[in-house]
Amino acid sequence: WYLLYFTPFLLFPSTLPLAVWTSSVLLTYTVWQVITAGGRWVVSRPILGVEYGVVVVAIIVLVMAMRGRASWYVKAPAA
């Protein structure tokens, strides 16, 4: 249900990290397979690395894109 609440915000480029996190968090459901096999309720480190790593990459991409756009706006028009 939380995806439904985020949907209006996923339409804007500035919410790219939120969109990426919303889809990458689904990897944590691999715990269900571990539980059914008799394991513990623990999300493995590789899954956590992917889950948060893609969000960090999305933030970096967003910041780089915003810097590129900002430098375009800052340039003075040629007279």
Side-chain angles (χ1 to χ4, degrees), residues 4-73:
L4 186 62
Y5 297 122
F6 286 146
T7 303
F9 302 107
L10 299 179
L11 303 175
F12 301 102
S14 62
T15 60
L16 175 67
L18 180 62
V20 169
W21 176 76
T22 300
S23 58
S24 71
V25 76
L26 296 174
L27 292 172
T28 59
Y29 288 104
T30 59
V31 175
W32 286 109
Q33 293 179 353
V34 174
I35 291 295
T36 57
R40 293 180 11 182
W41 184 272
V42 177
V43 180
S44 66
R45 288 180 190 247
I47 296 292
L48 287 174
V50 170
E51 180 181 347
Y52 292 108
V54 294
V55 175
V56 170
V57 169
I59 290 171
I60 292 170
V61 167
L62 180 65
V63 167
M64 290 175 63
M66 290 176 76
R67 281 187 180 175
R69 251 190 278 151
S71 65
W72 178 76
Y73 287 123

